[in-house]
Amino acid sequence: MDFNTVIQVLDSTIRLSTPLLLACLAGLFSERSGIVDIGLEGKMLIAAFFSAAVAFMTGSVWLGLLAGVVSSMALSAIHGLASITFRGNQIISGVALNFLASGLTVLIAQTWFSQGGRTPSLVGGARFSELTLPFADSLRPVPVLGPIYADLISGHSILVYVAFLLVPLTWWVMFRTRFGLRLRAVGEAPEAVDTAGVSVVGLRFASIAIAGVLCGLAGAYLATGLQAGFVREMTAGRGYIALAALIFAKWRPWYALGACLLFGFLQAVALRFQNIDLGAFVVPVQVMDALPYILTVVILAGFVGKAIPPRAGGEPYVKER
Amino acid sequence: MTDTPAIELKGISKAFGPVQANKDIAIRVMPGTIHGIIGENGAGKSTLMSILYGYYKADKGDIFINGKKTAIPDSQAAISAGIGMVFQHFKLVQNFSVLENVILGVEDGALLQTSLAKARGVLKHLAEEYELQVDPDALIEDLSVGHQQRVEILKALYREAEILILDEPTGVLTPAEADHLFRILEGLKREGKTIILITHKLREIMEITDTVSVMRRGEMTATVKTSETSPEQLAELMVGRKVLLRVDKTPAKHGKPVLEVENLRHVDEAGVERLKGISFTVRAGEILGLAGVSGNGQTHLLHVLGGYADATGTVRVNGQDIDLTGNYSDGKSRRARGIAHVPEDRHHEALILPFAAWENLIFGYHNDAAYQSGPLMNNAAIKEEAAQKMMRFDVRPPNANLAARNFSGGNQQKLVLAREIERNPEILLVGQPTRGVDIGAIEFIHQQIVALRDKGKAILLVSVELDEILSLSDRIAVMFDGEIMGERLPSETNQTELGLLMAGVTEMPDKDKPLIEVVNEQLEAKKRREEAAKKNG
């Protein structure tokens, strides 16, 4: 395998990790506040559709992004209404959102564009263009570091950089700010937050609103950055992989980065090499696709330390009697 | 002292569905006093205080703070009004540090740094002023229950509470910790703070309060000066009838040894030796009381004898060895040998809380032929029997279809006792029989245990309540650090001697040396041994 191939695989690792990372951070905000969010998939999907649709109709990727974020937040709001306000089951609410998004996107796409549940291909300003970082071209001839900078680090759309910058930002918000302290507290012991005179409901809605924004970014990136338009079920289980990465990361931002890069790398390898010939036998592509899930099962079985979820996760807050 | 009460409640009512938890309550608490609120479990004490703290909203009624009518719709309002509350079940974030818990909700600004630094300083100051030492950087989950409680008090003081409500604060504390808490409360009172102490323990009321209000079934029945009342009078006000505070029993007529334990050793899952060669005998017709601060091996002893932990050594029932190796040691084979067990942890080891009373009343004995009807359970017969047991044991409400969790602590315990005692066992192991149980029920439970003794059965009573041990036992053994420090007759010992044995002190110390120092030395030595054992293990 030559150096160029390595660079290419790593480059596509970064691209493929980005939606995972955004969704994973969305899940982190939500679950750290005690709201299990199985609906990451649905939120990404609906954001992917509306961002592509609006970007196509207006020709502006930014308006598309806005539409994606708004639609994702709308699903978050439904999730919040069902599981926070009405104290419903968070898993069921999340699964319902996934079904809703899955059906709604195809239905509207067919009604609006009549292209078999997809949007027309996006071109020009309706897509996120790739940013070239300063000096990328002039540094390219430098051995090793040149290609790494010019081809690996440079040349991604803005959302990629946003996603990676969100990791330190999330860490900082979670562990260095008042909001983060309260948010972590509400996921561990909502009664402590309540008796401290802070609104449990308010905090949880704030956190799922953030999750909505992040899922919106993830979906918009899928449809207007990674690819040029929406196709049905284009999230392809990324929301679930993001959840797996979140568990793998033990609900911590930096670990989430590592987990998402790993899962992104596995996807990139699967994409690049299809069937991997190891000489003795051939690893079929399906194995690579399944690897993130297999890894998660192995991790959950307790081989790599213990993953302790936020204590109040999944349970609606009811004052004890 | 002024005449304006620090707190005045007028006409407070609160209902949870059909249950009227508080009925038209009025109370006045004078500033700078310790005001006790006493009542049985479910009398509405905690509800009333939760209303004052804004955790619940009253259906009607008014709250006056320092003479001013104040609306307390939520905890934020209560905190602003200078009210702090230490709940019975602590409201702490387990994996947060002490500092983080203290500042939660009252951070200065959006960033934590300054708040944490400020809190560190304030905590240091409070620690010195009120004997509230606690490591500010420790995680809550690593702290003992006593220290967690200090964090709750610190939280209230950090919010500059002038009025501090404590809900059953000593329920989870060792006697030494409870004494320390009372010293802290005295200190707070000297600083002019107003303290409301909710408890069902008469001794605490008599010891520390200035005024006491009695609640019964959601109503305030009386408010009296502590100095002008007596435990007997308070008990009567609480329960609504005369209560026997002392256990009424005749001297034991003991027979042959029934339960013989020799050189019993047990190592727990973490590799720590919890029982270090224990030997004792319980004879027919006597109650052996096993005293000790919780966590000194009593729980493990009950687990071994009850059949859910392995051990080495010898245990004989009526002269015959029982298996300790795990092959035939389980609850079922123990019951077959006539050992009944009322576990310490009622909610986890004795009852299945969501299950109905009639189901709970047969657990462990559910394979009995009497309960079967072909391949099915004979539910009609089981329910019929359950109803009778509940009547004999005065379980209230006498509704066998009610889930176990819907009974009060005392009535849950009566369910467990009914299940075990009605099987007429040779040996009854009973752990903390009255933990979280109200006075009226305590009297009844003690009577049942004594009645079983009088039928010639052997009873091993494990309790952290010295009063209970002293009044119920025919002989007393004291456990410390996995060993039995000595046996005494109740008539020939006292609280002080037992208290010292409970701290591992077997010889009476010099008169000059304060007892607390002797006890602390022993406890520290024990801690060092445990740490050393952990390192080696």
Side-chain angles (χ1 to χ4, degrees), chain B residues 156-183:
Chain B
L157 295 179
Y158 187 76
R159 287 157 174 74
E160 296 175 343
E162 286 303 315
I163 299 157
L164 187 63
I165 308 165
L166 296 107
D167 189 0
E168 300 283 359
T170 60
V172 290
L173 301 183
T174 64
E177 284 173 323
D179 285 347
H180 187 99
L181 173 68
F182 286 169
R183 277 213 306 282

Side-chain angles (χ1 to χ4, degrees), chain B residues 267-458:
Chain B
V267 179
D268 74 3
E269 279 154 11
V272 181
E273 190 173 35
R274 293 297 187 174
L275 301 177
K276 302 174 177 172
I278 292 221
S279 302
F280 63 86
T281 301
V282 191
R283 293 168 295 189
E286 78 167 350
I287 299 173
L288 175 68
L290 200 57
V293 178
S294 79
N296 278 287
Q298 305 97 310
T299 303
H300 300 93
L301 177 65
L302 284 178
H303 283 178
V304 167
L305 294 177
Y308 25 97
D310 297 345
T312 60
T314 314
V315 176
R316 279 190 295 272
V317 175
N318 283 324
Q320 289 193 313
D321 280 10
I322 62 172
D323 187 90
L324 296 173
T325 58
N327 293 328
Y328 296 99
S329 66
D330 52 55
K332 193 178 166 191
S333 49
R334 291 289 198 275
R335 283 188 285 274
R337 300 291 300 271
I339 300 179
H341 183 189
V342 177
E344 290 180 308
D345 188 342
R346 196 152 57 228
H347 289 171
H348 294 112
E349 294 176 356
L351 294 169
I352 303 180
L353 293 176
F355 281 30
W358 65 272
E359 292 170 305
N360 272 291
L361 277 166
I362 60 162
F363 284 136
Y365 307 102
H366 50 274
N367 287 329
D368 271 23
Y371 299 141
Q372 317 298 322
S373 167
L376 304 174
M377 302 293 289
N378 188 352
N379 285 356
I382 297 171
K383 284 186 185 178
E384 170 68 30
E385 194 197 87
Q388 287 174 13
K389 282 185 186 169
M390 288 172 78
M391 208 159 68
R392 279 199 290 278
F393 275 78
D394 190 31
V395 181
R396 277 177 275 179
N399 176 359
N401 290 317
L402 209 58
R405 74 150 61 91
N406 294 332
F407 290 91
S408 72
N411 284 304
Q412 288 175 349
Q413 187 71 314
K414 285 181 195 167
L415 283 175
V416 181
L417 280 167
R419 178 176 75 206
E420 302 300 335
I421 290 181
E422 291 268 314
R423 303 298 297 196
N424 201 18
E426 287 300 303
I427 299 167
L428 181 70
L429 310 172
V430 51
Q432 320 298 349
T434 57
R435 179 182 278 170
V437 169
D438 46 60
I439 287 201
I442 288 177
E443 183 191 16
F444 184 84
I445 288 168
H446 283 172
Q447 280 167 357
Q448 296 304 313
I449 293 174
V450 171
L452 189 68
R453 180 202 73 161
D454 291 342
K455 281 166 74 181
K457 311 298 183 184

Side-chain angles (χ1 to χ4, degrees), chain B residues 443-492:
Chain B
E443 183 191 16
F444 184 84
I445 288 168
H446 283 172
Q447 280 167 357
Q448 296 304 313
I449 293 174
V450 171
L452 189 68
R453 180 202 73 161
D454 291 342
K455 281 166 74 181
K457 311 298 183 184
I459 291 160
L460 178 67
L461 165 75
V462 172
S463 176
V464 294
E465 300 280 352
L466 261 188
D467 286 338
E468 182 167 51
I469 291 276
L470 275 164
S471 59
L472 212 52
S473 313
D474 300 309
R475 263 184 317 133
I476 298 169
V478 182
M479 262 187 104
F480 173 73
D481 200 15
E483 292 178 75
I484 289 191
M485 304 309 293
E487 281 189 21
R488 299 283 187 275
L489 291 173
S491 53
E492 293 169 9

Side-chain angles (χ1 to χ4, degrees), chain A residues 7 11 14 131-133 136 145-157 160-161:
Chain A
I7 290 283
D11 182 58
I14 288 179
L131 297 183
T132 307
L133 295 185
L145 290 180
I148 288 181
Y149 182 73
D151 296 333
L152 190 55
I153 297 177
S154 173
H156 297 289
S157 80
V160 174
Y161 300 105

Side-chain angles (χ1 to χ4, degrees), chain A residues 32 172-186 188-198 203 308-311 317-321, chain B residues 16 19 21 47 53-56 74-76 79 87 89-96 100-101 103-113 141 155 159:
Chain A
R32 275 283 192 169
W172 184 79
V173 168
M174 279 288 168
F175 297 99
R176 287 291 178 271
T177 69
R178 171 176 65 191
F179 176 70
L181 182 82
R182 292 178 175 186
L183 191 144
R184 283 182 292 133
V186 86
E188 289 288 332
E191 68 282 1
V193 173
D194 191 11
T195 54
V198 182
L203 271 173
I308 303 170
R311 245 162 271 201
Y317 177 60
V318 184
K319 287 183 193 216
E320 67 183 64
R321 257 228 59 196
Chain B
F16 293 104
V19 183
T47 304
Y53 189 65
Y55 193 61
Y56 299 139
D74 53 30
S75 298
Q76 187 67 56
I79 294 166
F87 286 86
H89 303 287
F90 303 147
K91 310 290 183 194
L92 296 170
V93 185
Q94 288 292 318
N95 60 355
F96 276 20
E100 288 173 322
N101 268 289
I103 63 167
L104 182 65
V106 283
E107 306 88 344
D108 306 273
L111 302 186
L112 293 182
Q113 197 108 44
E141 58 198 1
K155 263 169 71 178
R159 287 157 174 74

